[in-house]
Amino acid sequence: MDAEITPIDPMLDDELAPESPPLSATMWMRENLFSTKANTVLTFVAVSIIAFIIRNVVAWIFAPNRGWEAVATNLRFYMVQAYPAGPEPEIPNQFVRVWVSAGSIVVLAALSLAAWKVGTKVAFTKLFATIRAAGAAVALVAFLGPPTQNLDLLSGIDFPVIGPLLAVAGSLLGFFIEAALMTGGRLVAFLIGAAIVVGAHLAAKATKPRGDDYGFHSLWMVFGAGAIVIVALWVVPFGHYFFLRGEVGFETGTIATSTSGPWTVIFLLAVGGYFLARWIVRLLGEKSLRSLLVLFWSLSLPVIVLFVLRDPDFNPAKDGGGFDFLPATDVWIWFIFGILGGLVIAGLSFPRLGELGRAASGLLVIGSLAMWAVPMLMRVRLIGFLFAMFAVGAQTFAGDRRARVRYVGLWVGLTTVLVVLFAAINTQSSLFIQGKTFLGGLTLTFVLALTSILLSFPIGLLMALGRTSSMPIFRVMSTMYIELVRGIPFITVLIFFDLILILFLPGNVEFDSVTLAILAGTLFSAAYLAENVRGGLQAIPKGQYEAARAMGLSTLQLTVFVVLPQALRAVIPALVGQTIAIFKDTSLVAIIGLFDFLFIADKVVPAQTIFLGIKLENIVFIAAVYWMFTFSFSRASLKLEKKVGLGEY
Amino acid sequence: MAIQIEEPRQRQQRVPPWRNVTFLKWAAQAVFLFAILAVFWILGSQAGSNLEDRGIDVSFGFLNTLPGIRLAEGIDVLPATGGRALYVGIVNMLRVTVAGIFAATVLGIIVGVSRLSKNWIVSKVATGYIETVRNIPLLVQIIAWGVVITTIPGNLGFETGPFGCTDPVSGCEGWFFLSNKGASFAWLFPADGFWQWFAFLGVGVAASIWVYRWRYHLKEERGDETYALTWGTLTVVAFAAIGWFVHPIMGFLGYLWGWISELLDSLPVWSLQAVLALLAVFFAGLWIKRFLDDRRTPAGLAKLTDDDIFRIGSAAFAGLVGVIVFFSLAGISEWILNSGRDLFSVMDDKFEFLDGGAPLSFGRPSLVQPGNFPNYGDTGLTMSKLFFPVFVGVTIYTAAFIAEVVRGGILAISKGQSEAGLALGLSRTQLLRFIILPQAFRIILPPMGNQYLNLAKNTSLGIAVAYPEVVAVGQTLYNQTGATIPVITLWMLFYVSVSLFISAIVNWYNRRVALVER
């Protein structure tokens, strides 16, 4: 890649770290593996444990009666569950919506890679070293793996009773016998691994003299991997079965043939978008692109879920549905709260209003609370409450004209978005779906996790402030809530919302179980988030408060401009950890019967006629997918921590 | 020339209420409290009418009626009442929790220390374990273990192998069995004389602490090694060994327990009520006194803010509520008296003066075949196929987190501490005993308590593999009786009390070891 791409963050490359002189292989082993007698024993124990695990795992994965077909065939099911995909006549194929959603996320990600200039330079030497290690791993696994030929040697000792060492001995013996007979897949895999090691080693040696500067941009690796996957989709027939009307058919349509086209288009769009965005950044600078992308990202979840996937039926020709109800309520709500409310907020942020403004916003808060006592539309109450909160905040932004304009603009934009979203929620979906909800599989897992964490963030923040506040009633109530929720397991909260909540609401209010699960997740994780944020609040030195007070900031200004930015920065690792925890916790909705990722692997696929009883394969597959996501989250958070300068003392 | 002194204003101008910060704060809180109460009231009245419409039972009557359910395992698989069924569920939950806490602590410490090992491969294995286990949802792991145990190759007992059993029909013993019925292994069981021996051991521990202090004191006086720790350990061992033979003499405690039991039986209920009420007043007063002492400076009592006054007021109020509750609800005191009496009479039964067999008995697992299918005999300790996935799942999962806690605690001790200790001439053991471990423990214990709490809550996932712990039993109960609200209330009460119990222990420890600042 061209020379202008430099590491974005000097902290990311460790040129400042002192380089230890490379040890020779024997020296390294003596130092790290055999330094003392006890160490040698430990090494042997660890090696036999690893060998034992590898051997059994490989044996399990490649056993001839493994039902991996169940996973491959149900991949679509795992991703989006029963999203209408045709080809039945009465259910029109709506799968293009899934592709649009997936595509917009991938393209947004590619644009963001360009706008934030993600990636570093990868030296060829390091790349080849990594490939060499991977090849060595392949060779090692092949070497330790179980016999591919039934040589009738040491049979019956596969199981843990004999102990790892004998198993290793058996597999080594088997390997040499297989090698002598020149048979078996193990030998082929071993030879491929060995070839990779030799080739990569030679390449690494050849590139070494040119140093670490001789390399390429790391994104090329991402694009290359993507290209390999795309090509593989065209070449390899992944999945040998297909689904039609709940029946499983064979061979005619494979997963690969139905997904290769869309994925290719998405991939090309993403790569093209990346270079386009690079060009725009070079031309106009990155600032405007970044803010645009932040806007897109924040709108992406509701737009994709409510509009693209759910498809609200705004068809004006249809009776009952359509646009005709919009002017009646929603447009008025938008006008009253968005436009008139915007004017009120603009007035309240007038600097010379003084105490009167505070009194007025206080009255607005009381009024917004009183709205809950009067029967009216729920969305009006919610927007009214938000309006009161914005009115209270208005004085904080009094002063600078530009800040006032931006504040009012934010309010008008927010109301517009909210009104549109509420209208979409209240409109019938035009989808013809078989289950209760159009969400399922991994999509549902992601929607649950993201929505819960996003909605719980403001609640958790308020509760953390409440718990550290000097106002006793706020403190006592926040503390009680937090401690109660943290004391009970998530599954009881889920069951509570699933069964009980409906009893407390008026008869005409209905929630589907996905909404209930989101509510449960939100209120549950809010308590944990509050504790995380509280940790950050306590880490702020007292001098900060005193300095802010001395400058004459109000409590709100002190909180928004001084305390929270520091507190949130300090708790980034904890917040990411909480996000990961929520992502893992969404699997619990399988217990209350939502068709999430786990439920499909645990209950649905093992019940299909031709895959009857194939369960562990499915569980292992979803475990691998969960692991992939959580592991990359935690790695990304480590990088983020480094970037904002945390964890360095 | 007279110096004009400005007259100090006699009366400070009164702040109008809309500018009075204290007033505004309280007004906002009152409005908020009122709003919350109103919401609860509205929801409650709505729930009342909804429940009436649907004819849903919200009484706790199911606790006293026959639930007609059969539990898969536990101390009582055919419970006579709903309350008994929940109690069996609680015992099952506590069984897996306690076993899990022990196993996860041991495994977690091993993995955490291994991750810090200088041995490259050992630390990589530990890292791999942690990164794999904690990034996969626990529920997925529990379900996977459930599948593993039910599809394990070979039926009960393996056909071959040194630990297997070739002929289950005639029955045989082994050391460790693993099959689709669960796992069974050799174990030490408490036998007849266990409690008397245990009491003897308690005396031994007290004695060993005394011995340890004495040797330690001697060491400080003389300055040479007195092997205090060895002496202490040997004392316990000696008591255990002697107690094995002489433990029947501890049976005299049985008379004591019996006497206490009779005393509790004869005590009138009002006396306990009075004691409890006095205790409530005493603790409220103690809290207020400590609070005021805290606010006292050399210059006298600091000015109390409205928040401080609120705290003092609520402490006093809590004390008052305690008095009222204990006097108006005699049932609480009666229950305490009755259960105390029962507890001591059970303990009386366990202790027989100058009587009793071996304290512990050793049992090996066995296979028996009473009917068509082989099963485990009751000689070994058996983990059922329902217990196994929950236990293994929560143990392996929590151990990964405990390992990180342990690693963090050890890493947090700065290198200067070890260097300073070594420079003082401490030996490696002394360094570990007096410098590293006390500091690491201070850091490790609170998050460790959190992990135990998580483990206790995570056992509720046993519902996914039908392990009959309190959530699963509760679900069965409300499916039978329709009493959802009472069951969920009981769940929450139970889990909140478990978590309050664990966090009370952790907080107590924290306060004990907290660094005194300034």
Side-chain angles (χ1 to χ4, degrees):
Chain A
M1 197 64 200
D2 27 6
E4 71 191 56
I5 293 176
T6 47
I8 298 89
D9 188 3
M11 279 183 182
L12 280 182
D13 70 355
D14 20 344
E15 58 185 358
L16 294 177
E19 207 167 304
S20 52
L23 298 168
S24 73
T26 38
M27 283 283 284
W28 182 89
M29 275 169 67
R30 200 173 297 160
E31 191 106 309
N32 290 301
L33 299 179
F34 305 107
S35 55
T36 58
K37 257 182 203 162
N39 229 338
T40 314
V41 173
L42 273 182
T43 304
F44 276 111
V45 171
V47 165
S48 17
I49 290 175
I50 294 177
F52 174 70
I53 291 174
I54 289 179
R55 183 177 156 79
N56 278 287
V57 167
V58 172
W60 185 81
I61 291 175
F62 291 103
N65 57 349
R66 276 288 86 70
W68 294 112
E69 289 292 345
V71 175
T73 304
N74 284 292
L75 270 183
R76 170 183 289 167
F77 210 60
Y78 272 118
M79 296 303 142
V80 293
Q81 203 226 336
Y83 202 81
E88 294 173 68
E90 66 269 31
I91 308 175
N93 188 346
Q94 298 278 357
F95 219 66
V96 65
R97 296 177 176 279
V98 174
W99 293 122
V100 169
S101 315
S104 44
I105 289 171
V106 172
V107 171
L108 263 183
L111 295 181
S112 310
L113 288 180
W116 273 271
K117 296 181 183 163
V118 177
T120 48
K121 195 167 219 176
V122 179
F124 276 116
T125 329
K126 278 188 184 163
L127 174 72
F128 288 131
T130 314
I131 295 178
R132 185 176 58 191
V138 170
L140 183 73
V141 168
F143 187 58
L144 293 175
T148 43
Q149 304 278 306
N150 188 9
L151 299 171
D152 226 14
L153 272 169
L154 300 168
S155 66
I157 57 149
D158 269 7
F159 218 71
V161 278
I162 279 291
L165 276 173
L166 203 52
V168 174
S171 97
L172 296 186
L173 192 59
F175 180 80
F176 287 119
I177 292 172
E178 275 185 44
L181 299 172
M182 292 299 281
T183 54
R186 272 170 92 194
L187 188 64
V188 178
F190 179 78
L191 288 178
I192 291 174
I196 292 175
V197 170
V198 172
H201 185 69
L202 290 178
K205 253 195 171 165
T207 49
K208 186 136 199 173
R210 304 191 57 176
D212 279 353
D213 288 338
Y214 182 53
F216 61 99
H217 196 266
S218 59
L219 281 183
W220 283 112
M221 251 164 31
V222 178
F223 291 149
I228 291 174
V229 172
I230 299 290
V231 171
L233 275 178
W234 289 98
V235 177
V236 187
F238 292 109
H240 293 277
Y241 305 90
F242 70 94
F243 274 99
L244 189 58
R245 295 190 188 97
E247 297 280 307
V248 185
F250 295 91
E251 288 295 343
T252 46
T254 66
I255 300 289
T257 52
S258 62
T259 58
S260 51
W263 277 123
T264 313
V265 173
I266 290 172
F267 178 69
L268 292 178
L269 279 177
V271 176
Y274 174 76
F275 285 106
L276 187 73
R278 286 268 318 274
W279 183 69
I280 293 174
V281 166
R282 208 175 303 158
L283 222 61
L284 302 172
E286 68 247 7
K287 213 168 176 187
S288 50
L289 188 63
R290 282 186 187 178
S291 38
L292 194 68
L293 282 173
V294 167
L295 181 69
F296 277 168
W297 274 119
S298 43
L299 287 180
S300 62
L301 181 70
V303 167
I304 285 178
V305 173
L306 290 178
F307 284 92
V308 181
L309 287 179
R310 184 170 177 273
D311 186 26
D313 193 3
F314 284 127
N315 184 6
K318 228 158 123 184
D319 221 27
F323 284 119
D324 41 344
F325 76 93
L326 282 179
T329 48
D330 291 87
V331 173
W332 278 108
I333 293 175
W334 177 76
F335 180 74
I336 290 172
F337 281 103
I339 304 300
L340 298 185
L343 289 177
V344 171
I345 288 176
L348 282 177
S349 66
F350 196 63
R352 260 177 286 170
L353 212 53
E355 230 160 44
L356 194 65
R358 221 163 290 157
S361 49
L363 283 180
L364 281 175
V365 172
I366 294 175
S368 77
L369 291 178
M371 282 163 83
W372 292 78
V374 186
M376 63 169 71
L377 289 175
M378 188 55 99
R379 46 200 146 141
V380 177
R381 288 173 177 160
L382 289 175
I383 293 185
F385 184 69
L386 268 183
F387 174 64
M389 292 292 111
F390 259 74
V392 170
Q395 278 119 49
T396 305
F397 294 87
D400 186 15
R401 212 182 123 77
R402 283 226 309 268
R404 287 174 59 198
V405 171
R406 225 179 287 157
Y407 192 66
V408 176
L410 179 66
W411 168 248
V412 177
L414 188 68
T415 19
T416 315
V417 170
L418 279 180
V419 166
V420 172
L421 291 185
F422 282 133
I425 292 174
N426 286 319
T427 315
Q428 285 283 323
S429 165
S430 74
L431 283 182
F432 189 97
I433 46 165
Q434 283 161 330
K436 277 187 203 157
T437 161
F438 61 100
L439 289 168
L442 193 59
T443 323
L444 176 62
T445 298
F446 266 107
V447 169
L448 284 177
L450 285 175
T451 328
S452 308
I453 202 80
L454 290 177
L455 292 180
S456 67
F457 192 75
I459 304 176
L461 206 64
L462 283 180
M463 241 158 346
L465 291 173
R467 195 171 178 178
T468 50
S469 147
S470 64
M471 294 191 241
I473 291 182
F474 289 146
R475 190 181 57 231
V476 168
M477 284 165 85
S478 311
T479 311
M480 267 166 54
Y481 178 83
I482 292 171
E483 290 305 325
L484 174 75
V485 171
R486 274 161 42 92
I488 54 181
F490 184 41
I491 182 63
T492 56
V493 180
L494 263 180
I495 293 179
F496 175 83
F497 275 85
D498 194 42
L499 293 176
I500 306 289
L501 186 72
I502 201 72
L503 299 176
F504 286 93
L505 298 172
N508 55 351
V509 180
E510 275 193 18
F511 284 116
D512 62 35
S513 34
V514 173
T515 317
L516 289 173
I518 288 175
L519 265 178
T522 303
L523 293 179
F524 183 74
S525 72
Y528 286 81
L529 270 177
E531 280 302 90
N532 289 339
V533 175
R534 186 168 76 109
L537 290 175
Q538 284 173 340
I540 294 174
K542 220 177 171 184
Q544 295 285 326
Y545 292 91
E546 288 161 359
R549 286 273 180 231
M551 286 183 69
L553 298 189
S554 72
T555 309
L556 200 63
Q557 286 169 326
L558 162 79
T559 311
V560 175
F561 297 122
V562 178
V563 174
L564 283 185
Q566 300 184 59
L568 294 183
R569 187 173 152 279
V571 293
I572 285 176
L575 292 182
V576 177
Q578 186 53 34
T579 312
I580 293 175
I582 285 293
F583 180 68
K584 289 191 290 178
D585 275 348
T586 54
S587 58
L588 264 66
V589 298
I591 295 179
I592 59 166
L594 284 187
F595 278 69
D596 83 321
F597 204 41
L598 172 62
F599 190 82
I600 291 175
D602 183 30
K603 295 272 154 62
V604 181
V605 177
Q608 290 166 353
T609 324
I610 61 166
F611 301 128
L612 207 61
I614 297 179
K615 196 159 175 184
L616 197 53
E617 289 86 340
N618 293 290
I619 301 283
V620 167
F621 165 70
I622 61 159
V625 174
Y626 274 118
W627 183 86
M628 210 176 69
F629 281 112
T630 43
F631 187 69
S632 9
F633 286 162
S634 57
R635 280 297 129 117
S637 99
L638 279 184
K639 276 196 178 164
L640 188 69
E641 267 170 52
K642 265 192 185 166
K643 206 162 181 174
V644 297
L646 284 168
E648 295 184 6
Y649 301 102
Chain B
M1 192 180 149
I3 302 168
Q4 282 202 330
I5 300 172
E6 205 186 325
E7 280 278 301
R9 257 188 289 178
Q10 288 298 312
R11 271 176 47 211
Q12 209 179 351
Q13 209 182 342
R14 275 180 68 92
V15 185
W18 60 88
R19 261 191 223 140
N20 186 338
V21 177
T22 313
F23 173 78
L24 282 178
K25 277 183 176 173
W26 280 101
Q29 294 180 72
V31 168
F32 186 70
L33 186 65
F34 176 75
I36 295 278
L37 289 180
V39 167
F40 273 107
W41 187 75
I42 291 171
L43 291 180
S45 56
Q46 185 68 50
S49 68
N50 279 348
L51 292 171
E52 215 163 280
D53 289 350
R54 300 177 196 206
I56 293 177
D57 187 19
V58 284
S59 73
F60 286 81
F62 72 95
L63 289 177
N64 297 319
T65 54
L66 184 71
I69 59 174
R70 189 189 173 85
L71 303 177
E73 67 176 276
I75 48 173
D76 185 359
V77 291
L78 281 171
T81 62
R84 176 78 178 164
L86 279 178
Y87 175 69
V88 175
I90 287 175
V91 172
N92 278 341
M93 179 264 180
L94 291 177
R95 266 176 69 211
V96 77
T97 303
V98 172
I101 282 178
F102 274 107
T105 308
V106 173
L107 186 61
I109 290 176
I110 291 174
V111 174
V113 173
S114 303
R115 200 173 172 190
L116 288 173
S117 162
K118 284 223 167 92
N119 188 315
W120 183 82
I121 201 156
V122 170
S123 88
K124 287 291 163 198
V125 169
T127 311
Y129 168 81
I130 291 170
E131 290 294 349
T132 312
V133 165
R134 70 169 180 182
N135 281 320
I136 298 174
L138 174 60
L139 184 57
V140 174
Q141 295 187 38
I142 287 180
I143 291 177
W145 287 114
V147 182
V148 166
I149 192 73
T150 44
T151 56
I152 219 153
N155 208 338
L156 255 189
F158 307 117
E159 284 81 10
T160 56
F163 298 102
C165 182
T166 44
D167 182 20
V169 179
S170 54
C172 54
E173 280 197 331
W175 289 95
F176 176 70
F177 291 126
L178 188 70
S179 77
N180 57 5
K181 299 254 175 184
S184 189
F185 42 88
W187 195 252
L188 280 175
F189 295 95
D192 290 340
F194 178 75
W195 290 104
Q196 308 179 34
W197 182 67
F198 196 70
F200 199 82
L201 209 59
V203 177
V205 168
S208 92
I209 291 174
W210 184 81
V211 167
Y212 178 82
R213 290 209 178 130
W214 166 60
R215 296 303 296 183
Y216 203 84
H217 184 70
L218 219 59
K219 175 181 175 177
E220 280 173 346
E221 258 181 11
R222 291 203 219 132
D224 53 352
E225 186 56 78
T226 53
Y227 305 102
L229 198 62
T230 322
W231 273 70
T233 322
L234 283 180
T235 312
V236 177
V237 173
F239 265 87
I242 297 169
W244 193 273
F245 303 102
V246 302
H247 66 77
I249 60 162
M250 291 309 279
F252 76 87
L253 283 173
Y255 297 120
L256 183 63
W257 306 144
W259 182 75
I260 293 176
S261 171
E262 275 165 30
L263 179 73
L264 289 177
D265 197 27
S266 61
L267 271 183
V269 176
W270 60 262
S271 61
L272 188 69
Q273 277 176 294
V275 169
L276 287 174
L278 278 178
L279 276 179
V281 172
F282 172 73
F283 278 113
L286 189 70
W287 192 90
I288 293 173
K289 184 180 174 297
R290 283 196 181 160
F291 187 81
L292 287 177
D293 284 350
D294 210 35
R295 291 288 186 280
R296 217 180 285 279
T297 57
L301 194 62
K303 191 175 181 309
L304 294 175
T305 63
D306 57 330
D307 187 20
D308 292 342
I309 292 168
F310 177 83
R311 286 177 194 233
I312 293 173
S314 21
F317 183 69
L320 192 67
V321 167
V323 172
I324 293 172
V325 164
F326 289 131
F327 269 109
S328 58
L329 299 175
I332 299 177
S333 309
E334 206 177 338
W335 181 78
I336 294 176
L337 275 181
N338 285 344
S339 22
R341 183 197 62 203
D342 293 349
L343 177 73
F344 278 104
S345 78
V346 167
M347 278 166 67
D348 185 13
D349 288 347
K350 302 275 180 196
F351 285 80
E352 290 291 331
F353 189 48
L354 298 180
D355 193 12
L360 294 171
S361 70
F362 180 72
R364 285 171 60 189
S366 60
L367 289 181
V368 290
Q369 188 166 347
N372 285 332
F373 302 103
N375 205 340
Y376 293 129
D378 52 7
T379 50
L381 187 69
T382 303
M383 285 188 201
S384 74
K385 66 175 177 185
L386 304 180
F387 184 93
F388 178 87
V390 189
F391 169 71
V392 175
V394 294
T395 300
I396 288 185
Y397 188 74
T398 314
F401 289 88
I402 288 181
E404 284 297 85
V405 167
V406 169
R407 185 178 79 110
I410 294 176
L411 281 182
I413 309 303
S414 73
K415 215 174 174 184
Q417 294 284 328
S418 344
E419 287 167 356
L422 291 175
L424 279 171
L426 299 184
S427 72
R428 278 268 161 202
T429 341
Q430 284 172 326
L431 180 71
L432 208 64
R433 164 79 183 78
F434 296 111
I435 309 282
I436 307 282
L437 282 186
Q439 298 187 59
F441 246 69
R442 196 200 303 279
I443 301 169
I444 287 173
L445 250 281
M448 199 84 130
N450 251 342
Q451 291 307 328
Y452 292 158
L453 188 55
N454 285 343
L455 189 147
K457 286 188 289 174
N458 281 337
T459 55
S460 62
L461 298 184
I463 193 175
V465 289
Y467 178 67
E469 44 71 62
V470 61
V471 174
V473 172
Q475 199 181 32
T476 322
L477 272 180
Y478 70 65
N479 282 340
Q480 289 279 325
T481 60
T484 44
I485 294 183
V487 167
I488 288 181
T489 315
L490 288 175
W491 282 346
M492 294 192 172
L493 275 179
F494 171 66
Y495 279 108
V496 167
S497 23
V498 168
S499 76
L500 283 182
F501 178 71
I502 294 185
S503 52
I505 293 176
V506 170
N507 283 343
W508 169 79
Y509 181 82
N510 248 346
R511 255 204 308 279
R512 241 191 62 147
V513 302
L515 292 175
V516 182
E517 288 177 22
R518 267 175 297 168

